[in-house]
Amino acid sequence: MRKYSVFAIAREAMRGHKGWDQQWTSPEPRKDYDVIIIGAGGHGLATAYYLAKEHGITNIAVLEKGWLGGGNTGRNTTIIRSNYLYDESAGLYNHALNLWDGLSQDLNYNVMYSPRGVMMLAHNVHDVQVLKRHVHANRLNGVPNDWLTPEEAKEFCPPLDISKRARYPIVGAALQRKGGTARHDAVAWGYARAASARGVDIIQNCEVTAVRRSSNGHVIGVDTSKGFIGAKKIGVVAAGHTSVLMEMAGVRMPLESYPLQALVSEPVKPCFPCVVMSNTVHAYISQSDKGELVIGAGTDQYISYSQTGGLHIINHTLDAICEMFPMFARMKMLRSWGGIVDVTPDRSPILAKTPVPGLYVNCGWGTGGFKATPGSGHVFAHTIANDNPHPINAPFTLERFRTGRLIDEAAAAAVAH
Amino acid sequence: MATTTTKRFAATHRVAGKGRLAGSAALGFTFDGQTYAGVQGDTLASALLANGVHLVGRSFKYHRPRGFLSAGPEEPNALVGIHRDAARKTPNVRATVQELYDGLTAVSQNRWPSLAYDVGAVNNIGSPMFSAGFYYKTFMWPKDAWAKIYEPRIREAAGLGVAPERPDPDTYAQRFAHCDVLIVGAGPSGLAAALAAAESGQRVILCDEQPDVGGALRYESGASIEGQDGWTWAQAAAASLLARDNVRVLTRTTAFGYYAQNMVGLVERVTEHLAHPDLTTPRERLWQVRAKKVILAAGAIERHMVFADNDRPGIMLVSAARTYLNHYGVAVGRNVGVFTANDSAYPAAIDLKKAGVNIAAIVDIRDNPSSALVEEARSLGIEINAGRTVTGTDGRLRVSSMTVQAKSGGPARKVPIDALLMSSGWTPSVHLFSQSRGKVAFDEPTLRFLPGIYAQDCISVGACNGADSLDATVDEGFAAGEKAVRATISAKPKVDKGETWGGGMLGASPGSGPEQIVKAFVDFQNDVTAKDIRQAVREGMRSIEHVKRFTTNGMATDQGKTSNLHGLAIAAEVLDKPIPAVGLTTFRAPYTPVTFGSIVNHAKGELFDPTRRTPMHGWEEQQGAVFEDVGQWKRAWYYPRKGEDMHAAVNRECKTVRTSAGIFDASTLGKIEIVGPDAAKFMELLYTNPWAKLEAGRCRYGIMLREDGFIYDDGVVGRLSDHRFHVTTTTGGAPRVMHHMEDYLQTEFPHLDVWLTSITEQWAVIAVQGPKSRDILQSLVDNIDISDAAMPHMSVREGTICGGVPTRLFRMSFTGERGFEVNVPADYGRAVWEAIWEEGKKHDVCAYGTEAMHVLRAEKGYIIVGQDTDGTVTPGDAGLDWAIGKKKSDFVGIRGLTRPDLVAPGRRQLVGLRTKDPKTVLEEGAQIVDDPKQPIPMKMIGFVTSSYWSENCGRSIAMGLVEGGFGRMGETLHVPMPDGVIEVEVCKPLFFDEKGERLNG
């Protein structure tokens, strides 16, 4: 892999940028692999990368139905934070946060991790109780998350309307200063390039149609639109379509899939310094490096595999944005889109072995998987390589829905991910 | 508002006798502080061009000078800020769409210090460094420099206009509408469809983004319909449609999004073109139209030629120049060059030539262009360079020459020009079709994506469907209109004479191919060149989605209307694949950018979310109550008297309730009436408690679980008769409990004969709590015996109060005192409340708010679902095992409760907490640990759910969920706070009247 740097760019500038290598190759699949990862999103590519880098397994194929990074990795609002309530979640997301810090250097790809601060707003007594519970738990878990008065919140984020004029005035906020954003496509591409450089085959436009198992139940490979591909181990990392794939291996998943929407405004000069989230009025907003306001909306109320959602959801979201930031009413929505999110009963992911030998699953990230990408790939690679979970993902089993040992961030926090 | 007094610039480029604005009122406006003159009917673009101004903007990345590419909504370059006043500043307005009004103030964007001398243009010099995706490859050293140094600078350089800084004072409106036929686009095809459909009497809506109907007839000088010139026919057709009751014609209205079940979002710009909008008129109006059938007549958008330095001001689309001439009467230059790959350029050259503009040369990449148009151009003496190409242009702030060369190379010739018109063909506007989930299909011979497989009940007609003559568009439109209403009534408009379009090329022009290192722009606004796209492919981007994201091609504010297909063709060429194999990027709503305000419309301030107030709200306000938001409700939080702070008021209220009595507005509690022969059976299934044997007239505290076994809601339920239950829920939980019940009734228990009715707003609820409560009510009830013997704790009676007001009177307590809850029809709420208040005054009552209510219930250890439970708590965890019917074989959640982890030891259980220092009040949400000296991360064993100062107990009280809490009575635990550790002792969650004697005291 040729190193990226300002010097490399200068060299290429002199010859019309004609000497760059392919960031990743697009090979035809080999007959069989040690590990097949199904799904070339951020989590799948990161899994392949860490398998190669940390576990010495390089005979890997990552199969992708469409184009790599084209699912939720390329559709989310790029918020990164780790201020989760439960120890299990704090451990997982903070592991990811630690990897974000330094990921550009590790991958030699600028993923533009920008710790600009994630602020979560409280609008009533109940919000204060919930957010303070987070702040206290985060503090004792070593995850700095500060409680701010409305005035302090406005100082950190000047566009915020903290007047009593609002229908739900802001009464306080929790701020994770190390939270922020990253460039979503760059995460997928950076992992793809680094994995490809270590020998991983990324095979796009290759849809898995069946998971094949031997007579003793162990996986032996997959049927795909490019034919049968053998594998000793298979990791399914397919977000909204995980349950469809797992069904092929005879595993019923506790997942529901919903369309989740997001939108951006036209680009403007810098006017919004951080990420602001409000669960009570349902709004998430930040400004991209390009200048677009990036706004997250909610899920549709009904399950669906359609990558669009209703106008009323966008409507509700923009109501909330303009309520908190009334100066943005003259801004214009440039683009809106949807993705399919896979939601578990406790709103926490599944990162685990499955009842099928050789089959592993990484799913259930719901509306907030992007932030976990490096940590998720890292511990999932460990799980596949050792046929045993890493201590960080050990609680995120499939069995917990049978035993009731849930990690219920949503119920506990009433905070969307 | 800036008004114009001096008009320093003359309309030097207005051509006498051309256009449709002759005789219109003169208007003044400013651009970057310079005063200009225009006329009514101009766009900002046409008015500036009339003054000879082409330089209007700077590009996003290289800050290259830019002019007008188009005369419509596809404009990528000419974005300006429009400033009506200090608060009404709108960034990124397309000058080609903004209609001129007197006093309009426009400013250019993304330049410093001025449009002509922009420091950012240094990026253009450094542009070889700033190739596609360069930022992914650098700015990585040192590690923290990205966020601290590079990113802030990149952000400053990026962005276009400046976001408004003040709240938007304008209002917006919205309408929901239904119709039989929605027609999008009022060009000839859409008008023909409307004429055909309207005659049937069915409801028709016709919308168009332009201020007038007519579409391409605006510039097509060669069109004649029904014996009139095309434009005149269109206006007459619109007038006849407007005269009908069943037709609504919406101009200045963009169909921006096509959603499920034929729901189309339209935005109507109501006042954007007015100099002095009436403040009571909305600026824009959102239409959400549900149509039986949608006819898409969206037309086509002309593409530019992709060649070196094709972005200089003065270089524009052929159709744009023609529109400026034929509609606005403006010549875009005096010595104009033309570069084309199809016939569309010829009528433009002919029109301009006839208007007295010199056509320096037509450069046509086709080797043997031959048609009547070509001949006509030739006969007018226009030089035609067939089989040649333009390989470059000159001119810093305005194009000054084009370089013409044979396609195969050879000697080059510089032709002096002051404007250059270009056309590489037409792209059908399949945006809305694609948004409807329809699948487009590539038509190889014409190099176009056309509607293929439809997903909704709609049809595409005219140019957006690939029709490439006026005849064909009118035919298709009319046929679709007839079919939509299944009637043939009216006569089809007769096209006497029309123009044709079609043909052309995709991708880079000859001479700007892979071998040349030139800036041949594909996407103007985002500065994406053909070589950027080739580089992306070289770097392994095989999918058009990757190419788009890597280069940002098509991601600017115009969403790739002119650039997407060129980009696709260039990528396909490098990949050596057919175009459809590379794919087409998704068309995402909105079609053109839509103001947030129009989507939000009325939903701001008070109307952001409904405010629910109880019947007693006015009284509470008069008493000086402070309110808190609980869901949508405003609830009286506490009633401070003069000189009291919250603490003092709550202390007084709590004391008063326990010494005499207090009255409390409990109207917000959710209430559901469950009626029917199977009502008790339904209750048995929805709640953990047994109900079958509960006698009519008695109440019971009920707990409802989710399927997973965790507490979902709670409340007191009164059985009014064998078949009728009056259920109460938490305030916040009312709607979801109702849905939960309906969900189960309809899906799991449809065999039960039960009816559910929300009665939350039907009954006002006045809680009268305290030792004197019965004394107060005694004299007010009409016919109910409320003695302990006749009406014990947890009973309910129906009767009247205050001389005939119907009531459901509950004997129940959420304070631990003797108590009643008086339910009366909401309309009587305030009157009965005031009667109780008057009577109560004799007994020293107070009104108390939600805070005192919380403290009083905590003194008794009564839980609040959602505060002391959080969706992970079983009845057992909350100490409410007794509320589970032990003999019951089924209820929602019964199976969940038996799961291993729900019966495992070490679960968090609800206990009382006493701080060692009675004066210390814990913080709700604070975490509890066993060993406060352990290192971080600490093992947390629980947290504080409720915590208050209790004046009645003379100390602080708290409850918390603690691992194995029931077995820890008397243990000391620790609450580590930022400023020190608080010691607490675990106790029973009961701090007052342990024996519960006061319920009857």
Side-chain angles (χ1 to χ4, degrees):
Chain A
M1 186 170 84
R2 193 169 141 213
K3 194 165 185 281
Y4 284 163
S5 69
V6 69
F7 307 109
I9 294 175
R11 254 193 322 276
E12 283 302 323
M14 303 205 277
R15 50 173 167 164
H17 296 274
K18 289 185 176 175
W20 293 114
D21 296 331
Q22 290 192 13
Q23 298 201 5
W24 53 84
T25 57
S26 297
E28 285 305 306
R30 292 203 290 272
K31 218 169 93 237
D32 54 357
Y33 292 91
D34 290 339
V35 178
I36 282 180
I37 303 293
I38 304 176
H43 291 243
L45 292 164
T47 304
Y49 170 69
Y50 292 114
L51 273 170
K53 183 186 173 213
E54 307 214 338
H55 304 282
I57 301 172
T58 56
N59 185 24
I60 303 172
V62 184
L63 309 184
E64 169 56 48
K65 180 171 75 168
W67 37 283
L68 72 86
N72 295 338
T73 298
R75 293 167 186 272
N76 70 88
T77 52
T78 78
I79 298 173
I80 293 170
R81 62 185 180 90
S82 69
N83 51 354
Y84 282 72
L85 181 64
Y86 287 114
D87 304 351
E88 297 90 337
S89 316
L92 179 60
Y93 290 101
N94 221 35
H95 182 54
L97 191 67
N98 291 334
L99 288 169
W100 278 116
D101 196 10
L103 188 61
S104 294
Q105 290 71 31
D106 184 31
L107 299 177
N108 180 231
Y109 207 97
N110 188 357
V111 300
M112 305 181 190
Y113 164 57
S114 173
R116 46 207 313 104
V118 172
M119 187 190 282
M120 302 173 95
L121 301 177
H123 299 266
N124 56 42
V125 175
H126 180 69
D127 287 352
V128 173
Q129 289 166 344
V130 167
L131 285 182
K132 284 206 167 172
R133 185 179 168 196
H134 279 69
V135 166
H136 290 306
N138 290 156
R139 175 167 46 83
L140 300 186
N141 261 325
V143 178
N145 191 15
D146 303 333
W147 180 254
L148 306 186
T149 63
E151 292 72 27
E152 289 167 334
K154 182 158 179 76
E155 200 184 328
F156 193 79
C157 181
L160 205 58
D161 180 3
I162 58 165
S163 71
K164 299 290 173 216
R165 175 209 67 84
R167 172 70 182 84
Y168 296 113
I170 291 158
V171 297
L175 171 64
Q176 186 180 21
R177 292 176 200 273
K178 275 199 81 174
T181 56
R183 170 89 187 119
H184 53 5
D185 290 329
V187 175
W189 300 343
Y191 274 119
R193 172 170 168 264
S196 182
R198 288 176 184 270
V200 173
D201 283 356
I202 301 166
I203 299 160
Q204 302 179 74
N205 299 310
C206 179
E207 182 173 1
V208 171
T209 53
V211 176
R212 298 252 290 263
R213 299 165 64 179
S214 68
S215 53
N216 66 10
H218 200 286
V219 297
I220 54 171
V222 291
D223 289 331
T224 76
S225 52
K226 297 188 185 231
F228 174 77
I229 309 174
K232 297 188 183 75
K233 294 179 176 181
I234 297 172
V236 175
V237 198
H241 294 84
T242 297
S243 39
V244 179
L245 283 156
M246 293 299 285
E247 193 86 46
M248 296 175 189
V251 182
R252 239 185 112 199
M253 296 297 290
L255 293 173
E256 288 181 327
S257 293
Y258 295 88
L260 175 72
Q261 293 185 79
L263 63 101
V264 294
S265 74
E266 292 183 341
V268 285
K269 293 291 177 192
C271 65
F272 202 82
C274 59
V275 180
V276 169
M277 309 174 65
S278 165
N279 191 52
T280 294
V281 301
H282 299 131
Y284 315 95
I285 178 170
S286 64
Q287 188 176 17
S288 72
D289 287 344
K290 199 180 170 191
E292 297 158 332
L293 296 175
V294 182
I295 294 168
T299 56
D300 279 14
Q301 292 94 331
Y302 305 102
I303 54 174
S304 162
Y305 286 112
S306 164
Q307 280 180 328
T308 57
L311 177 60
H312 59 289
I313 302 284
I314 297 283
N315 199 324
H316 184 68
T317 297
L318 288 176
D319 290 354
I321 293 297
C322 292
E323 175 68 5
M324 288 193 294
F325 309 104
M327 71 287 284
F328 290 154
R330 292 184 98 80
M331 296 284 290
K332 285 173 245 147
M333 171 167 79
L334 174 59
R335 239 185 352 261
S336 66
W337 64 91
I340 306 302
V341 297
D342 46 329
V343 178
T344 64
D346 67 358
R347 303 295 193 271
S348 285
I350 300 165
L351 269 158
K353 297 171 67 172
T354 70
V356 176
L359 183 68
Y360 308 83
V361 68
N362 177 350
C363 66
W365 292 95
T367 61
F370 176 73
K371 65 176 82 71
T373 306
S376 157
H378 190 257
V379 297
F380 194 51
H382 178 105
T383 307
I384 295 173
N386 299 291
D387 192 33
N388 217 6
H390 189 283
I392 287 176
N393 67 312
F396 294 87
T397 61
L398 194 48
E399 287 75 39
R400 72 179 191 271
F401 302 102
R402 193 176 52 74
T403 65
R405 191 164 191 79
L406 305 181
I407 307 161
D408 203 335
E409 289 287 337
V415 169
H417 294 218
Chain B
M1 172 128 350
T3 49
T4 315
T5 47
T6 56
K7 296 181 173 57
R8 266 184 274 164
F9 277 67
T12 49
H13 287 68
R14 199 79 70 172
V15 183
K18 292 299 290 182
R20 304 187 177 99
L21 309 185
S24 299
L27 307 174
F29 69 101
T30 69
F31 176 58
D32 277 349
Q34 180 69 58
T35 304
Y36 298 96
V39 295
Q40 187 72 42
D42 263 329
T43 59
L44 176 58
S46 69
L48 282 167
L49 287 167
N51 287 277
V53 177
H54 278 261
L55 174 68
V56 277
R58 290 273 174 172
S59 66
F60 195 87
K61 189 155 90 171
Y62 302 142
H63 290 249
R64 286 171 67 104
R66 292 285 167 79
F68 306 95
L69 178 73
S70 73
E74 67 270 36
E75 178 61 37
N77 286 333
L79 304 187
V80 299
I82 300 288
H83 296 177
R84 277 191 188 268
D85 57 35
R88 292 178 175 83
K89 294 182 175 176
T90 313
N92 303 342
V93 176
R94 289 155 297 171
T96 53
V97 170
Q98 175 66 51
E99 294 174 60
L100 197 67
Y101 53 79
D102 195 40
L104 181 143
T105 304
V107 295
S108 59
Q109 304 186 145
N110 199 33
R111 80 288 180 268
W112 185 86
S114 76
L115 193 53
Y117 300 96
D118 176 15
V119 167
V122 69
N123 285 3
N124 190 40
I125 298 162
S127 62
M129 289 289 286
F130 306 139
S131 70
F134 75 99
Y135 29 74
Y136 300 125
K137 298 184 176 112
T138 182
F139 305 133
M140 289 181 278
W141 184 88
K143 184 164 79 79
D144 294 331
W146 168 253
K148 292 203 170 75
I149 298 167
Y150 302 121
E151 189 186 33
R153 293 198 173 36
I154 289 173
R155 292 173 88 94
E156 285 297 336
L160 286 168
V162 177
E165 285 168 358
R166 299 197 195 174
D168 184 0
D170 279 332
T171 59
Y172 301 83
Q174 77 145 344
R175 290 282 298 272
F176 287 97
H178 293 80
C179 63
D180 296 296
V181 189
L182 169 67
I183 301 159
V184 176
S189 188
L191 283 169
L195 289 169
E199 198 77 33
S200 71
Q202 297 194 37
R203 293 165 305 167
V204 176
I205 296 177
L206 171 67
C207 70
D208 195 284
E209 60 194 345
Q210 296 285 350
D212 305 292
V213 302
L217 298 172
R218 172 179 297 263
Y219 59 82
E220 280 179 4
S221 48
S224 167
I225 305 173
E226 297 276 310
Q228 296 167 294
D229 79 86
W231 178 260
T232 308
W233 168 81
Q235 306 317 307
S240 79
L241 289 167
L242 274 167
R244 294 177 167 280
D245 290 339
N246 62 320
V247 181
R248 187 187 291 280
V249 180
L250 296 169
T251 52
R252 299 189 176 92
T253 303
T254 305
F256 65 85
Y258 199 136
Y259 300 90
Q261 279 90 43
N262 263 1
M263 210 286 279
V264 182
L266 320 177
V267 65
E268 180 186 3
R269 290 168 294 280
V270 184
T271 66
E272 283 297 84
H273 61 294
L274 301 176
H276 303 288
D278 177 356
L279 289 179
T280 60
T281 307
R283 180 180 175 223
E284 296 179 359
R285 180 179 291 118
L286 175 73
W287 291 81
Q288 296 185 70
V289 180
R290 185 82 64 179
K292 259 190 202 154
K293 195 152 201 114
V294 175
I295 297 177
L296 297 173
I301 293 172
E302 196 173 30
R303 291 183 307 274
H304 58 283
M305 296 291 283
V306 178
F307 61 100
D309 297 326
N310 58 344
D311 65 326
R312 299 190 196 279
I315 306 180
M316 67 174 67
L317 297 172
V318 160
S319 58
R322 228 180 148 197
T323 303
Y324 291 123
L325 182 70
N326 292 342
H327 188 75
Y328 299 103
V330 174
V332 299
R334 302 191 196 287
N335 182 33
V336 176
V338 179
F339 183 28
T340 188
N342 66 41
D343 270 1
S344 292
Y346 289 84
I350 292 163
D351 286 350
L352 281 161
K353 179 82 180 176
K354 285 181 176 166
V357 175
N358 184 50
I359 303 298
I362 293 177
V363 181
D364 193 327
I365 64 159
R366 296 173 298 177
D367 291 326
N368 294 299
S370 61
S371 69
L373 287 168
V374 176
E375 290 318 310
E376 187 182 349
R378 222 171 244 136
S379 71
L380 287 170
I382 297 172
E383 174 190 327
I384 298 171
N385 297 267
R388 301 182 89 78
T389 186
V390 176
T391 57
T393 65
D394 288 316
R396 193 174 80 87
L397 301 177
R398 172 93 179 257
V399 65
S400 61
S401 75
M402 61 176 176
T403 305
V404 181
Q405 203 175 16
K407 285 191 288 183
S408 50
R413 173 168 69 109
K414 270 196 184 183
V415 180
I417 48 171
D418 63 358
L420 175 53
L421 318 185
M422 55 186 170
S423 176
S424 68
W426 294 83
T427 308
S429 292
V430 293
H431 305 73
L432 289 170
F433 167 78
S434 177
Q435 284 182 29
S436 79
R437 317 292 288 167
K439 294 257 183 300
V440 294
F442 191 69
D443 185 51
E444 193 65 48
T446 60
L447 300 173
R448 298 185 293 199
F449 283 98
L450 295 173
I453 302 164
Y454 284 85
Q456 301 204 37
D457 195 354
C458 79
I459 183 163
S460 300
V461 296
C464 74
N465 193 41
D468 42 20
S469 71
L470 183 61
D471 258 330
T473 60
V474 169
D475 278 1
E476 278 189 13
F478 195 81
E482 280 187 329
K483 192 161 172 246
V485 297
R486 287 185 293 280
T488 303
I489 302 163
S490 48
K492 189 174 77 177
K494 185 173 166 295
V495 176
D496 314 313
K497 192 155 72 79
E499 299 191 4
T500 60
W501 48 93
M505 68 167 294
L506 292 175
S509 310
S512 299
E515 62 288 348
Q516 273 84 22
I517 300 177
V518 293
K519 283 200 188 70
F521 287 93
V522 176
D523 181 321
F524 290 102
Q525 190 182 115
N526 275 355
D527 282 329
V528 181
T529 62
K531 74 173 155 40
D532 288 322
I533 289 169
R534 294 184 193 113
Q535 181 196 335
V537 175
R538 266 199 302 278
E539 290 200 47
M541 308 293 170
R542 299 281 173 98
S543 158
I544 195 63
E545 290 283 356
H546 284 151
V547 173
K548 164 185 150 185
R549 287 155 179 262
F550 189 68
T551 61
T552 72
N553 190 55
M555 297 184 80
T557 59
D558 59 293
Q559 291 282 283
K561 289 187 177 62
T562 50
S563 61
N564 276 345
L565 282 189
H566 281 315
L568 179 56
I570 294 165
E573 186 189 0
V574 184
L575 285 165
D576 195 21
K577 280 191 193 172
I579 283 174
V582 183
L584 181 65
T585 55
T586 316
F587 291 94
R588 287 170 165 173
Y591 172 67
T592 52
V594 176
T595 312
F596 287 4
S598 67
I599 293 178
V600 171
N601 54 72
H602 301 295
K604 54 185 183 181
E606 277 291 291
L607 297 179
F608 167 61
D609 206 20
T611 303
R612 300 174 80 182
R613 297 183 178 87
T614 72
M616 287 79 95
H617 188 88
W619 186 92
E620 289 158 6
E621 270 183 336
Q622 284 166 14
Q623 296 289 314
V626 175
F627 292 87
E628 68 163 332
D629 287 310
V630 181
Q632 293 170 329
W633 289 101
K634 293 282 181 193
R635 299 196 75 180
W637 198 5
Y638 56 97
Y639 294 84
R641 291 184 181 164
K642 204 165 183 190
E644 279 184 342
D645 60 5
M646 177 174 176
H647 189 66
V650 172
N651 286 348
R652 173 181 50 75
E653 291 169 20
C654 288
K655 284 296 264 194
T656 308
V657 171
R658 296 213 188 279
T659 50
S660 54
I663 66 173
F664 173 73
D665 180 359
S667 305
T668 66
L669 280 187
K671 294 175 280 293
I672 299 167
E673 196 155 298
I674 297 180
V675 185
D678 294 327
K681 276 188 200 160
F682 183 72
M683 288 296 295
E684 290 274 341
L685 286 164
L686 265 291
Y687 285 82
T688 62
N689 319 62
W691 301 94
K693 290 184 183 156
L694 183 71
E695 292 167 26
R698 297 301 308 231
C699 302
R700 182 161 284 165
Y701 169 73
I703 294 179
M704 169 181 280
L705 307 182
R706 298 185 308 203
E707 193 79 61
D708 58 15
F710 297 120
I711 296 175
Y712 191 53
D713 206 78
D714 70 347
V716 170
V717 179
R719 188 168 197 172
L720 299 173
S721 68
D722 277 359
H723 297 169
R724 187 177 297 265
F725 289 84
H726 179 115
V727 168
T728 67
T729 74
T730 56
T731 294
R736 62 180 149 84
V737 169
M738 181 76 191
H739 290 150
H740 175 83
M741 286 181 167
E742 270 298 347
D743 192 6
Y744 274 97
L745 182 58
Q746 293 184 23
T747 61
E748 300 291 328
F749 316 128
H751 56 284
L752 295 183
D753 192 358
V754 180
W755 299 88
L756 311 176
T757 310
S758 169
I759 51 170
T760 301
E761 305 226 336
Q762 274 58 46
W763 295 94
V765 185
I766 304 154
V768 186
Q769 300 277 316
K772 301 283 177 61
S773 55
R774 186 171 57 196
D775 301 341
I776 295 165
L777 290 177
Q778 189 64 62
S779 60
L780 296 173
V781 291
D782 298 330
N783 50 5
I784 308 172
D785 182 353
I786 61 171
S787 66
D788 279 349
M791 191 175 175
H793 181 56
M794 294 302 266
S795 55
V796 58
R797 298 288 178 269
E798 289 181 278
T800 63
I801 191 169
C802 295
V805 177
T807 182
R808 289 178 177 174
L809 181 63
F810 285 72
R811 169 96 191 261
M812 55 180 282
S813 174
F814 200 45
T815 57
E817 301 295 323
R818 174 195 300 281
F820 295 87
E821 290 194 358
V822 183
N823 286 250
V824 292
D827 287 348
Y828 292 101
R830 181 160 175 176
V832 173
W833 172 280
E834 288 183 6
I836 293 173
W837 175 249
E838 284 306 317
E839 187 62 27
K841 280 205 279 197
K842 299 173 193 163
H843 301 275
D844 297 325
V845 295
C846 72
Y848 67 100
T850 51
E851 188 65 16
M853 179 269 283
H854 277 112
V855 177
L856 291 163
R857 65 90 203 175
E859 289 171 351
K860 293 294 298 176
Y862 299 151
I863 68 162
I864 289 187
V865 168
Q867 179 172 348
D868 300 297
T869 72
D870 65 3
T872 67
V873 177
T874 66
D877 300 338
L880 299 171
D881 261 336
W882 56 266
I884 299 176
K886 298 294 175 294
K887 293 181 192 152
K888 288 178 69 171
S889 61
D890 196 13
F891 56 81
V892 174
I894 193 167
R895 218 158 46 112
L897 279 178
T898 62
R899 289 186 296 173
D901 200 61
L902 274 69
V903 295
R907 288 192 62 79
R908 289 188 172 188
Q909 293 164 327
L910 190 69
V911 295
L913 300 167
R914 285 178 210 269
T915 50
K916 285 282 163 75
D917 171 6
K919 296 263 182 290
T920 302
V921 182
L922 293 166
E923 194 165 292
E924 287 166 351
Q927 299 289 317
I928 299 166
V929 302
D930 217 341
D931 170 15
K933 298 206 171 67
Q934 61 184 310
I936 281 175
M938 289 195 186
K939 165 69 184 156
M940 288 167 261
I941 59 169
F943 73 103
V944 178
T945 60
S946 293
S947 174
Y948 310 95
W949 172 259
S950 165
E951 190 72 2
N952 286 313
C953 299
R955 59 157 299 131
S956 72
I957 59 169
M959 293 194 282
L961 284 162
V962 176
E963 273 178 26
F966 298 162
R968 289 182 187 264
M969 293 301 146
E971 266 185 41
T972 297
L973 298 175
H974 301 87
V975 178
M977 297 299 285
D979 53 356
V981 176
I982 301 169
E983 281 190 321
V984 297
E985 185 191 311
V986 181
C987 61
K988 282 205 288 187
L990 178 55
F991 303 92
F992 192 82
D993 182 28
E994 288 204 24
K995 292 185 181 150
E997 291 161 336
R998 299 178 64 93
L999 284 170
N1000 296 302

